[in-house]
PDB file of all heavy atoms in Angstrom:
ATOM      1  N   TYR B   1      -2.442  -4.254  -6.079  1.00  0.00           N
ATOM      2  CA  TYR B   1      -2.474  -4.968  -4.824  1.00  0.00           C
ATOM      3  C   TYR B   1      -3.091  -4.097  -3.737  1.00  0.00           C
ATOM      4  O   TYR B   1      -3.947  -4.546  -2.918  1.00  0.00           O
ATOM      5  CB  TYR B   1      -1.078  -5.404  -4.435  1.00  0.00           C
ATOM      6  CG  TYR B   1      -0.996  -6.164  -3.120  1.00  0.00           C
ATOM      7  CD1 TYR B   1      -1.370  -7.512  -3.027  1.00  0.00           C
ATOM      8  CD2 TYR B   1      -0.564  -5.542  -1.974  1.00  0.00           C
ATOM      9  CE1 TYR B   1      -1.327  -8.161  -1.842  1.00  0.00           C
ATOM     10  CE2 TYR B   1      -0.520  -6.191  -0.763  1.00  0.00           C
ATOM     11  CZ  TYR B   1      -0.861  -7.515  -0.703  1.00  0.00           C
ATOM     12  OH  TYR B   1      -0.789  -8.179   0.490  1.00  0.00           O
ATOM     13  N   ALA B   2      -2.667  -2.850  -3.634  1.00  0.00           N
ATOM     14  CA  ALA B   2      -3.144  -1.940  -2.606  1.00  0.00           C
ATOM     15  C   ALA B   2      -4.698  -1.673  -2.805  1.00  0.00           C
ATOM     16  O   ALA B   2      -5.439  -1.627  -1.826  1.00  0.00           O
ATOM     17  CB  ALA B   2      -2.379  -0.611  -2.640  1.00  0.00           C
ATOM     18  N   ARG B   3      -5.112  -1.482  -4.049  1.00  0.00           N
ATOM     19  CA  ARG B   3      -6.536  -1.259  -4.305  1.00  0.00           C
ATOM     20  C   ARG B   3      -7.403  -2.471  -3.862  1.00  0.00           C
ATOM     21  O   ARG B   3      -8.402  -2.343  -3.218  1.00  0.00           O
ATOM     22  CB  ARG B   3      -6.794  -0.951  -5.767  1.00  0.00           C
ATOM     23  CG  ARG B   3      -6.380   0.450  -6.171  1.00  0.00           C
ATOM     24  CD  ARG B   3      -6.927   0.789  -7.560  1.00  0.00           C
ATOM     25  NE  ARG B   3      -6.611  -0.192  -8.613  1.00  0.00           N
ATOM     26  CZ  ARG B   3      -5.475  -0.174  -9.301  1.00  0.00           C
ATOM     27  NH1 ARG B   3      -4.535   0.757  -9.161  1.00  0.00           N
ATOM     28  NH2 ARG B   3      -5.218  -1.134 -10.247  1.00  0.00           N
ATOM     29  N   GLN B   4      -6.920  -3.636  -4.208  1.00  0.00           N
ATOM     30  CA  GLN B   4      -7.643  -4.872  -3.819  1.00  0.00           C
ATOM     31  C   GLN B   4      -7.643  -5.028  -2.299  1.00  0.00           C
ATOM     32  O   GLN B   4      -8.689  -5.436  -1.748  1.00  0.00           O
ATOM     33  CB  GLN B   4      -7.017  -6.104  -4.486  1.00  0.00           C
ATOM     34  CG  GLN B   4      -7.236  -6.152  -5.979  1.00  0.00           C
ATOM     35  CD  GLN B   4      -6.451  -7.290  -6.632  1.00  0.00           C
ATOM     36  OE1 GLN B   4      -5.542  -7.863  -6.011  1.00  0.00           O
ATOM     37  NE2 GLN B   4      -6.808  -7.602  -7.869  1.00  0.00           N
ATOM     38  N   PHE B   5      -6.510  -4.822  -1.679  1.00  0.00           N
ATOM     39  CA  PHE B   5      -6.397  -4.994  -0.216  1.00  0.00           C
ATOM     40  C   PHE B   5      -7.320  -3.997   0.505  1.00  0.00           C
ATOM     41  O   PHE B   5      -8.051  -4.355   1.419  1.00  0.00           O
ATOM     42  CB  PHE B   5      -4.952  -4.720   0.189  1.00  0.00           C
ATOM     43  CG  PHE B   5      -4.628  -5.095   1.576  1.00  0.00           C
ATOM     44  CD1 PHE B   5      -4.204  -6.364   1.905  1.00  0.00           C
ATOM     45  CD2 PHE B   5      -4.731  -4.144   2.606  1.00  0.00           C
ATOM     46  CE1 PHE B   5      -3.932  -6.727   3.217  1.00  0.00           C
ATOM     47  CE2 PHE B   5      -4.416  -4.497   3.915  1.00  0.00           C
ATOM     48  CZ  PHE B   5      -4.016  -5.757   4.188  1.00  0.00           C
ATOM     49  N   VAL B   6      -7.331  -2.739   0.035  1.00  0.00           N
ATOM     50  CA  VAL B   6      -8.173  -1.698   0.669  1.00  0.00           C
ATOM     51  C   VAL B   6      -9.656  -2.014   0.447  1.00  0.00           C
ATOM     52  O   VAL B   6     -10.454  -1.900   1.369  1.00  0.00           O
ATOM     53  CB  VAL B   6      -7.817  -0.297   0.095  1.00  0.00           C
ATOM     54  CG1 VAL B   6      -8.867   0.708   0.438  1.00  0.00           C
ATOM     55  CG2 VAL B   6      -6.477   0.125   0.605  1.00  0.00           C
ATOM     56  N   ARG B   7     -10.010  -2.508  -0.727  1.00  0.00           N
ATOM     57  CA  ARG B   7     -11.406  -2.885  -0.993  1.00  0.00           C
ATOM     58  C   ARG B   7     -11.846  -3.998  -0.041  1.00  0.00           C
ATOM     59  O   ARG B   7     -12.904  -3.948   0.592  1.00  0.00           O
ATOM     60  CB  ARG B   7     -11.612  -3.275  -2.407  1.00  0.00           C
ATOM     61  CG  ARG B   7     -13.064  -3.496  -2.809  1.00  0.00           C
ATOM     62  CD  ARG B   7     -13.258  -3.962  -4.235  1.00  0.00           C
ATOM     63  NE  ARG B   7     -12.453  -5.068  -4.615  1.00  0.00           N
ATOM     64  CZ  ARG B   7     -12.750  -6.358  -4.269  1.00  0.00           C
ATOM     65  NH1 ARG B   7     -13.824  -6.648  -3.659  1.00  0.00           N
ATOM     66  NH2 ARG B   7     -11.968  -7.307  -4.712  1.00  0.00           N
ATOM     67  N   LEU B   8     -11.023  -5.016   0.064  1.00  0.00           N
ATOM     68  CA  LEU B   8     -11.303  -6.155   0.928  1.00  0.00           C
ATOM     69  C   LEU B   8     -11.478  -5.744   2.360  1.00  0.00           C
ATOM     70  O   LEU B   8     -12.452  -6.055   3.022  1.00  0.00           O
ATOM     71  CB  LEU B   8     -10.259  -7.277   0.744  1.00  0.00           C
ATOM     72  CG  LEU B   8     -10.340  -8.417   1.760  1.00  0.00           C
ATOM     73  CD1 LEU B   8     -11.529  -9.328   1.349  1.00  0.00           C
ATOM     74  CD2 LEU B   8      -9.076  -9.182   1.812  1.00  0.00           C
ATOM     75  N   ARG B   9     -10.458  -5.049   2.875  1.00  0.00           N
ATOM     76  CA  ARG B   9     -10.432  -4.698   4.262  1.00  0.00           C
ATOM     77  C   ARG B   9     -11.428  -3.612   4.610  1.00  0.00           C
ATOM     78  O   ARG B   9     -12.034  -3.588   5.691  1.00  0.00           O
ATOM     79  CB  ARG B   9      -9.071  -4.230   4.669  1.00  0.00           C
ATOM     80  CG  ARG B   9      -7.955  -5.266   4.589  1.00  0.00           C
ATOM     81  CD  ARG B   9      -8.214  -6.402   5.609  1.00  0.00           C
ATOM     82  NE  ARG B   9      -7.269  -7.462   5.541  1.00  0.00           N
ATOM     83  CZ  ARG B   9      -6.185  -7.562   6.327  1.00  0.00           C
ATOM     84  NH1 ARG B   9      -5.968  -6.640   7.228  1.00  0.00           N
ATOM     85  NH2 ARG B   9      -5.423  -8.579   6.174  1.00  0.00           N
ATOM     86  N   GLY B  10     -11.684  -2.676   3.689  1.00  0.00           N
ATOM     87  CA  GLY B  10     -12.556  -1.567   3.975  1.00  0.00           C
ATOM     88  C   GLY B  10     -14.028  -1.946   3.797  1.00  0.00           C
ATOM     89  O   GLY B  10     -14.849  -1.630   4.656  1.00  0.00           O
ATOM     90  N   GLU B  11     -14.381  -2.624   2.730  1.00  0.00           N
ATOM     91  CA  GLU B  11     -15.786  -2.906   2.452  1.00  0.00           C
ATOM     92  C   GLU B  11     -16.239  -4.215   3.094  1.00  0.00           C
ATOM     93  O   GLU B  11     -17.355  -4.240   3.606  1.00  0.00           O
ATOM     94  CB  GLU B  11     -15.981  -2.988   0.933  1.00  0.00           C
ATOM     95  CG  GLU B  11     -15.774  -1.654   0.207  1.00  0.00           C
ATOM     96  CD  GLU B  11     -15.858  -1.748  -1.283  1.00  0.00           C
ATOM     97  OE1 GLU B  11     -16.197  -2.842  -1.792  1.00  0.00           O
ATOM     98  OE2 GLU B  11     -15.607  -0.732  -1.962  1.00  0.00           O
ATOM     99  N   LEU B  12     -15.427  -5.231   3.030  1.00  0.00           N
ATOM    100  CA  LEU B  12     -15.889  -6.491   3.560  1.00  0.00           C
ATOM    101  C   LEU B  12     -15.622  -6.673   5.081  1.00  0.00           C
ATOM    102  O   LEU B  12     -16.473  -7.112   5.802  1.00  0.00           O
ATOM    103  CB  LEU B  12     -15.269  -7.651   2.790  1.00  0.00           C
ATOM    104  CG  LEU B  12     -15.590  -7.690   1.281  1.00  0.00           C
ATOM    105  CD1 LEU B  12     -14.898  -8.839   0.625  1.00  0.00           C
ATOM    106  CD2 LEU B  12     -17.068  -7.791   1.080  1.00  0.00           C
ATOM    107  N   ARG B  13     -14.426  -6.344   5.505  1.00  0.00           N
ATOM    108  CA  ARG B  13     -14.060  -6.490   6.906  1.00  0.00           C
ATOM    109  C   ARG B  13     -14.409  -5.284   7.746  1.00  0.00           C
ATOM    110  O   ARG B  13     -14.254  -5.345   8.941  1.00  0.00           O
ATOM    111  CB  ARG B  13     -12.590  -6.814   7.024  1.00  0.00           C
ATOM    112  CG  ARG B  13     -12.199  -8.168   6.557  1.00  0.00           C
ATOM    113  CD  ARG B  13     -10.782  -8.485   6.938  1.00  0.00           C
ATOM    114  NE  ARG B  13     -10.382  -9.758   6.432  1.00  0.00           N
ATOM    115  CZ  ARG B  13      -9.210 -10.290   6.672  1.00  0.00           C
ATOM    116  NH1 ARG B  13      -8.314  -9.630   7.427  1.00  0.00           N
ATOM    117  NH2 ARG B  13      -8.866 -11.444   6.197  1.00  0.00           N
ATOM    118  N   LYS B  14     -14.768  -4.207   7.123  1.00  0.00           N
ATOM    119  CA  LYS B  14     -15.171  -2.973   7.785  1.00  0.00           C
ATOM    120  C   LYS B  14     -14.055  -2.417   8.708  1.00  0.00           C
ATOM    121  O   LYS B  14     -14.262  -2.147   9.861  1.00  0.00           O
ATOM    122  CB  LYS B  14     -16.452  -3.185   8.653  1.00  0.00           C
ATOM    123  CG  LYS B  14     -17.601  -3.801   7.883  1.00  0.00           C
ATOM    124  CD  LYS B  14     -18.150  -2.827   6.929  1.00  0.00           C
ATOM    125  CE  LYS B  14     -19.422  -3.362   6.262  1.00  0.00           C
ATOM    126  NZ  LYS B  14     -19.610  -3.048   4.920  1.00  0.00           N
ATOM    127  N   GLN B  15     -12.845  -2.346   8.161  1.00  0.00           N
ATOM    128  CA  GLN B  15     -11.706  -1.791   8.929  1.00  0.00           C
ATOM    129  C   GLN B  15     -11.492  -0.339   8.496  1.00  0.00           C
ATOM    130  O   GLN B  15     -11.892   0.094   7.412  1.00  0.00           O
ATOM    131  CB  GLN B  15     -10.466  -2.614   8.689  1.00  0.00           C
ATOM    132  CG  GLN B  15     -10.544  -3.987   9.291  1.00  0.00           C
ATOM    133  CD  GLN B  15      -9.311  -4.785   9.039  1.00  0.00           C
ATOM    134  OE1 GLN B  15      -8.483  -4.499   8.185  1.00  0.00           O
ATOM    135  NE2 GLN B  15      -9.171  -5.861   9.785  1.00  0.00           N
ATOM    136  N   GLY B  16     -10.832   0.419   9.356  1.00  0.00           N
ATOM    137  CA  GLY B  16     -10.592   1.818   9.121  1.00  0.00           C
ATOM    138  C   GLY B  16      -9.278   2.059   8.392  1.00  0.00           C
ATOM    139  O   GLY B  16      -8.444   1.154   8.252  1.00  0.00           O
ATOM    140  N   ALA B  17      -9.095   3.288   8.001  1.00  0.00           N
ATOM    141  CA  ALA B  17      -7.957   3.683   7.176  1.00  0.00           C
ATOM    142  C   ALA B  17      -6.625   3.529   7.897  1.00  0.00           C
ATOM    143  O   ALA B  17      -5.628   3.090   7.292  1.00  0.00           O
ATOM    144  CB  ALA B  17      -8.073   5.120   6.718  1.00  0.00           C
ATOM    145  N   PHE B  18      -6.578   3.799   9.191  1.00  0.00           N
ATOM    146  CA  PHE B  18      -5.326   3.669   9.902  1.00  0.00           C
ATOM    147  C   PHE B  18      -4.830   2.178   9.986  1.00  0.00           C
ATOM    148  O   PHE B  18      -3.684   1.907   9.769  1.00  0.00           O
ATOM    149  CB  PHE B  18      -5.436   4.182  11.351  1.00  0.00           C
ATOM    150  CG  PHE B  18      -5.728   5.659  11.456  1.00  0.00           C
ATOM    151  CD1 PHE B  18      -6.832   6.132  12.103  1.00  0.00           C
ATOM    152  CD2 PHE B  18      -4.861   6.605  10.861  1.00  0.00           C
ATOM    153  CE1 PHE B  18      -7.050   7.512  12.208  1.00  0.00           C
ATOM    154  CE2 PHE B  18      -5.122   7.923  10.918  1.00  0.00           C
ATOM    155  CZ  PHE B  18      -6.225   8.366  11.616  1.00  0.00           C
ATOM    156  N   ARG B  19      -5.763   1.319  10.201  1.00  0.00           N
ATOM    157  CA  ARG B  19      -5.390  -0.126  10.243  1.00  0.00           C
ATOM    158  C   ARG B  19      -4.995  -0.631   8.899  1.00  0.00           C
ATOM    159  O   ARG B  19      -3.998  -1.371   8.752  1.00  0.00           O
ATOM    160  CB  ARG B  19      -6.618  -0.881  10.806  1.00  0.00           C
ATOM    161  CG  ARG B  19      -6.556  -2.391  10.670  1.00  0.00           C
ATOM    162  CD  ARG B  19      -5.817  -2.993  11.886  1.00  0.00           C
ATOM    163  NE  ARG B  19      -5.711  -4.418  11.764  1.00  0.00           N
ATOM    164  CZ  ARG B  19      -6.587  -5.317  12.366  1.00  0.00           C
ATOM    165  NH1 ARG B  19      -7.506  -4.853  13.134  1.00  0.00           N
ATOM    166  NH2 ARG B  19      -6.331  -6.561  12.226  1.00  0.00           N
ATOM    167  N   ILE B  20      -5.761  -0.251   7.867  1.00  0.00           N
ATOM    168  CA  ILE B  20      -5.395  -0.718   6.540  1.00  0.00           C
ATOM    169  C   ILE B  20      -4.059  -0.193   6.090  1.00  0.00           C
ATOM    170  O   ILE B  20      -3.231  -0.984   5.513  1.00  0.00           O
ATOM    171  CB  ILE B  20      -6.513  -0.261   5.545  1.00  0.00           C
ATOM    172  CG1 ILE B  20      -7.858  -0.969   5.875  1.00  0.00           C
ATOM    173  CG2 ILE B  20      -6.117  -0.544   4.135  1.00  0.00           C
ATOM    174  CD1 ILE B  20      -9.028  -0.386   5.129  1.00  0.00           C
ATOM    175  N   ALA B  21      -3.784   1.034   6.352  1.00  0.00           N
ATOM    176  CA  ALA B  21      -2.477   1.641   5.954  1.00  0.00           C
ATOM    177  C   ALA B  21      -1.303   0.942   6.712  1.00  0.00           C
ATOM    178  O   ALA B  21      -0.302   0.652   6.104  1.00  0.00           O
ATOM    179  CB  ALA B  21      -2.444   3.153   6.247  1.00  0.00           C
ATOM    180  N   ARG B  22      -1.534   0.664   7.999  1.00  0.00           N
ATOM    181  CA  ARG B  22      -0.503  -0.011   8.757  1.00  0.00           C
ATOM    182  C   ARG B  22      -0.228  -1.415   8.191  1.00  0.00           C
ATOM    183  O   ARG B  22       0.936  -1.815   8.055  1.00  0.00           O
ATOM    184  CB  ARG B  22      -0.929  -0.111  10.259  1.00  0.00           C
ATOM    185  CG  ARG B  22       0.162  -0.713  11.138  1.00  0.00           C
ATOM    186  CD  ARG B  22      -0.354  -0.935  12.523  1.00  0.00           C
ATOM    187  NE  ARG B  22      -1.359  -2.008  12.510  1.00  0.00           N
ATOM    188  CZ  ARG B  22      -2.346  -2.121  13.345  1.00  0.00           C
ATOM    189  NH1 ARG B  22      -2.522  -1.202  14.258  1.00  0.00           N
ATOM    190  NH2 ARG B  22      -3.152  -3.109  13.263  1.00  0.00           N
ATOM    191  N   ASP B  23      -1.274  -2.138   7.890  1.00  0.00           N
ATOM    192  CA  ASP B  23      -1.092  -3.505   7.347  1.00  0.00           C
ATOM    193  C   ASP B  23      -0.413  -3.457   5.973  1.00  0.00           C
ATOM    194  O   ASP B  23       0.384  -4.339   5.677  1.00  0.00           O
ATOM    195  CB  ASP B  23      -2.454  -4.200   7.265  1.00  0.00           C
ATOM    196  CG  ASP B  23      -3.040  -4.535   8.622  1.00  0.00           C
ATOM    197  OD1 ASP B  23      -2.301  -4.428   9.616  1.00  0.00           O
ATOM    198  OD2 ASP B  23      -4.221  -4.897   8.706  1.00  0.00           O
ATOM    199  N   LEU B  24      -0.762  -2.455   5.155  1.00  0.00           N
ATOM    200  CA  LEU B  24      -0.118  -2.380   3.827  1.00  0.00           C
ATOM    201  C   LEU B  24       1.359  -2.018   3.951  1.00  0.00           C
ATOM    202  O   LEU B  24       2.196  -2.534   3.209  1.00  0.00           O
ATOM    203  CB  LEU B  24      -0.838  -1.381   2.946  1.00  0.00           C
ATOM    204  CG  LEU B  24      -2.110  -1.927   2.288  1.00  0.00           C
ATOM    205  CD1 LEU B  24      -2.882  -0.794   1.574  1.00  0.00           C
ATOM    206  CD2 LEU B  24      -1.750  -2.980   1.245  1.00  0.00           C
ATOM    207  N   ARG B  25       1.672  -1.127   4.861  1.00  0.00           N
ATOM    208  CA  ARG B  25       3.086  -0.732   5.077  1.00  0.00           C
ATOM    209  C   ARG B  25       3.895  -1.976   5.546  1.00  0.00           C
ATOM    210  O   ARG B  25       5.016  -2.169   5.159  1.00  0.00           O
ATOM    211  CB  ARG B  25       3.204   0.358   6.125  1.00  0.00           C
ATOM    212  CG  ARG B  25       2.883   1.698   5.498  1.00  0.00           C
ATOM    213  CD  ARG B  25       3.146   2.850   6.481  1.00  0.00           C
ATOM    214  NE  ARG B  25       2.601   4.081   5.902  1.00  0.00           N
ATOM    215  CZ  ARG B  25       1.409   4.570   6.279  1.00  0.00           C
ATOM    216  NH1 ARG B  25       0.684   3.987   7.229  1.00  0.00           N
ATOM    217  NH2 ARG B  25       0.930   5.642   5.667  1.00  0.00           N
ATOM    218  N   ALA B  26       3.266  -2.797   6.386  1.00  0.00           N
ATOM    219  CA  ALA B  26       3.949  -3.992   6.846  1.00  0.00           C
ATOM    220  C   ALA B  26       4.206  -4.974   5.685  1.00  0.00           C
ATOM    221  O   ALA B  26       5.116  -5.818   5.742  1.00  0.00           O
ATOM    222  CB  ALA B  26       3.116  -4.730   7.945  1.00  0.00           C
ATOM    223  N   ARG B  27       3.373  -4.913   4.668  1.00  0.00           N
ATOM    224  CA  ARG B  27       3.575  -5.804   3.508  1.00  0.00           C
ATOM    225  C   ARG B  27       4.491  -5.163   2.458  1.00  0.00           C
ATOM    226  O   ARG B  27       4.659  -5.664   1.371  1.00  0.00           O
ATOM    227  CB  ARG B  27       2.197  -6.068   2.856  1.00  0.00           C
ATOM    228  CG  ARG B  27       1.397  -7.026   3.680  1.00  0.00           C
ATOM    229  CD  ARG B  27       0.003  -7.111   3.179  1.00  0.00           C
ATOM    230  NE  ARG B  27      -0.719  -8.322   3.613  1.00  0.00           N
ATOM    231  CZ  ARG B  27      -1.179  -8.576   4.801  1.00  0.00           C
ATOM    232  NH1 ARG B  27      -0.979  -7.727   5.766  1.00  0.00           N
ATOM    233  NH2 ARG B  27      -1.874  -9.676   5.072  1.00  0.00           N
ATOM    234  N   GLY B  28       5.076  -3.992   2.748  1.00  0.00           N
ATOM    235  CA  GLY B  28       6.035  -3.368   1.897  1.00  0.00           C
ATOM    236  C   GLY B  28       5.496  -2.607   0.736  1.00  0.00           C
ATOM    237  O   GLY B  28       6.212  -2.324  -0.243  1.00  0.00           O
ATOM    238  N   VAL B  29       4.253  -2.181   0.792  1.00  0.00           N
ATOM    239  CA  VAL B  29       3.633  -1.410  -0.272  1.00  0.00           C
ATOM    240  C   VAL B  29       4.010   0.067  -0.086  1.00  0.00           C
ATOM    241  O   VAL B  29       3.939   0.605   0.998  1.00  0.00           O
ATOM    242  CB  VAL B  29       2.100  -1.572  -0.280  1.00  0.00           C
ATOM    243  CG1 VAL B  29       1.453  -0.693  -1.361  1.00  0.00           C
ATOM    244  CG2 VAL B  29       1.712  -3.017  -0.468  1.00  0.00           C
ATOM    245  N   PRO B  30       4.459   0.763  -1.154  1.00  0.00           N
ATOM    246  CA  PRO B  30       4.889   2.139  -1.030  1.00  0.00           C
ATOM    247  C   PRO B  30       3.694   3.074  -0.635  1.00  0.00           C
ATOM    248  O   PRO B  30       2.545   2.801  -0.961  1.00  0.00           O
ATOM    249  CB  PRO B  30       5.351   2.525  -2.443  1.00  0.00           C
ATOM    250  CG  PRO B  30       5.678   1.222  -3.106  1.00  0.00           C
ATOM    251  CD  PRO B  30       4.777   0.203  -2.477  1.00  0.00           C
ATOM    252  N   ASP B  31       3.983   4.141   0.100  1.00  0.00           N
ATOM    253  CA  ASP B  31       2.980   5.039   0.589  1.00  0.00           C
ATOM    254  C   ASP B  31       2.117   5.672  -0.532  1.00  0.00           C
ATOM    255  O   ASP B  31       0.972   5.948  -0.329  1.00  0.00           O
ATOM    256  CB  ASP B  31       3.595   6.138   1.440  1.00  0.00           C
ATOM    257  CG  ASP B  31       3.974   5.607   2.828  1.00  0.00           C
ATOM    258  OD1 ASP B  31       3.457   4.591   3.284  1.00  0.00           O
ATOM    259  OD2 ASP B  31       4.818   6.294   3.473  1.00  0.00           O
ATOM    260  N   ARG B  32       2.700   5.915  -1.640  1.00  0.00           N
ATOM    261  CA  ARG B  32       1.930   6.551  -2.729  1.00  0.00           C
ATOM    262  C   ARG B  32       0.779   5.675  -3.203  1.00  0.00           C
ATOM    263  O   ARG B  32      -0.281   6.158  -3.486  1.00  0.00           O
ATOM    264  CB  ARG B  32       2.841   6.976  -3.894  1.00  0.00           C
ATOM    265  CG  ARG B  32       3.426   5.825  -4.644  1.00  0.00           C
ATOM    266  CD  ARG B  32       4.373   6.296  -5.823  1.00  0.00           C
ATOM    267  NE  ARG B  32       4.885   5.209  -6.565  1.00  0.00           N
ATOM    268  CZ  ARG B  32       5.919   4.490  -6.237  1.00  0.00           C
ATOM    269  NH1 ARG B  32       6.630   4.788  -5.178  1.00  0.00           N
ATOM    270  NH2 ARG B  32       6.319   3.460  -7.044  1.00  0.00           N
ATOM    271  N   HIS B  33       0.986   4.334  -3.229  1.00  0.00           N
ATOM    272  CA  HIS B  33      -0.068   3.416  -3.602  1.00  0.00           C
ATOM    273  C   HIS B  33      -1.111   3.312  -2.502  1.00  0.00           C
ATOM    274  O   HIS B  33      -2.297   3.218  -2.785  1.00  0.00           O
ATOM    275  CB  HIS B  33       0.519   2.064  -3.941  1.00  0.00           C
ATOM    276  CG  HIS B  33       1.465   2.060  -5.081  1.00  0.00           C
ATOM    277  ND1 HIS B  33       1.182   2.642  -6.294  1.00  0.00           N
ATOM    278  CD2 HIS B  33       2.694   1.535  -5.187  1.00  0.00           C
ATOM    279  CE1 HIS B  33       2.243   2.477  -7.137  1.00  0.00           C
ATOM    280  NE2 HIS B  33       3.170   1.814  -6.488  1.00  0.00           N
ATOM    281  N   ILE B  34      -0.622   3.312  -1.289  1.00  0.00           N
ATOM    282  CA  ILE B  34      -1.582   3.248  -0.115  1.00  0.00           C
ATOM    283  C   ILE B  34      -2.462   4.469  -0.134  1.00  0.00           C
ATOM    284  O   ILE B  34      -3.681   4.356   0.064  1.00  0.00           O
ATOM    285  CB  ILE B  34      -0.749   3.148   1.179  1.00  0.00           C
ATOM    286  CG1 ILE B  34       0.031   1.854   1.243  1.00  0.00           C
ATOM    287  CG2 ILE B  34      -1.707   3.251   2.388  1.00  0.00           C
ATOM    288  CD1 ILE B  34       1.022   1.756   2.369  1.00  0.00           C
ATOM    289  N   ASP B  35      -1.880   5.647  -0.258  1.00  0.00           N
ATOM    290  CA  ASP B  35      -2.662   6.906  -0.237  1.00  0.00           C
ATOM    291  C   ASP B  35      -3.704   6.952  -1.337  1.00  0.00           C
ATOM    292  O   ASP B  35      -4.835   7.336  -1.150  1.00  0.00           O
ATOM    293  CB  ASP B  35      -1.776   8.095  -0.284  1.00  0.00           C
ATOM    294  CG  ASP B  35      -0.843   8.249   0.910  1.00  0.00           C
ATOM    295  OD1 ASP B  35      -1.188   7.673   1.965  1.00  0.00           O
ATOM    296  OD2 ASP B  35       0.195   8.917   0.836  1.00  0.00           O
ATOM    297  N   ALA B  36      -3.324   6.515  -2.546  1.00  0.00           N
ATOM    298  CA  ALA B  36      -4.250   6.517  -3.674  1.00  0.00           C
ATOM    299  C   ALA B  36      -5.366   5.560  -3.444  1.00  0.00           C
ATOM    300  O   ALA B  36      -6.524   5.826  -3.719  1.00  0.00           O
ATOM    301  CB  ALA B  36      -3.497   6.160  -4.974  1.00  0.00           C
ATOM    302  N   ALA B  37      -5.092   4.364  -2.937  1.00  0.00           N
ATOM    303  CA  ALA B  37      -6.144   3.340  -2.720  1.00  0.00           C
ATOM    304  C   ALA B  37      -7.085   3.774  -1.558  1.00  0.00           C
ATOM    305  O   ALA B  37      -8.270   3.594  -1.679  1.00  0.00           O
ATOM    306  CB  ALA B  37      -5.490   2.002  -2.343  1.00  0.00           C
ATOM    307  N   LEU B  38      -6.530   4.416  -0.540  1.00  0.00           N
ATOM    308  CA  LEU B  38      -7.363   4.897   0.567  1.00  0.00           C
ATOM    309  C   LEU B  38      -8.260   6.064   0.128  1.00  0.00           C
ATOM    310  O   LEU B  38      -9.352   6.231   0.590  1.00  0.00           O
ATOM    311  CB  LEU B  38      -6.526   5.281   1.769  1.00  0.00           C
ATOM    312  CG  LEU B  38      -5.936   4.112   2.516  1.00  0.00           C
ATOM    313  CD1 LEU B  38      -4.990   4.599   3.614  1.00  0.00           C
ATOM    314  CD2 LEU B  38      -7.028   3.206   3.110  1.00  0.00           C
ATOM    315  N   ALA B  39      -7.723   6.868  -0.842  1.00  0.00           N
ATOM    316  CA  ALA B  39      -8.534   7.974  -1.317  1.00  0.00           C
ATOM    317  C   ALA B  39      -9.728   7.412  -2.100  1.00  0.00           C
ATOM    318  O   ALA B  39     -10.841   7.999  -2.042  1.00  0.00           O
ATOM    319  CB  ALA B  39      -7.670   8.878  -2.204  1.00  0.00           C
TER     320      ALA B  39
END
C-alpha cells in the first residue's frame, strides 16, 4: 500500500516526501513501510 501510494503521489501528483509521509501516517501505515517506499 505504501509503495503504491508513494508512486501515485510522487510520480503522478508530483508531491514531495514530507507531504506523502504525513498522508501515509494519517492512514495508519507504519513508519518502516513509509521510509522504505520513500527510499
Side-chain angles (χ1 to χ4, degrees):
Y1 178 78
R3 285 191 307 272
Q4 290 173 345
F5 190 89
V6 166
R7 186 182 54 79
L8 171 74
R9 295 294 177 96
E11 294 175 5
L12 299 178
R13 290 191 182 181
K14 308 289 187 217
Q15 293 179 343
F18 295 124
R19 169 85 181 261
I20 294 169
R22 183 186 69 209
D23 291 347
L24 279 171
R25 282 187 191 98
R27 287 170 161 73
V29 177
D31 284 340
R32 67 181 184 275
H33 299 310
I34 296 171
D35 295 338
L38 287 173

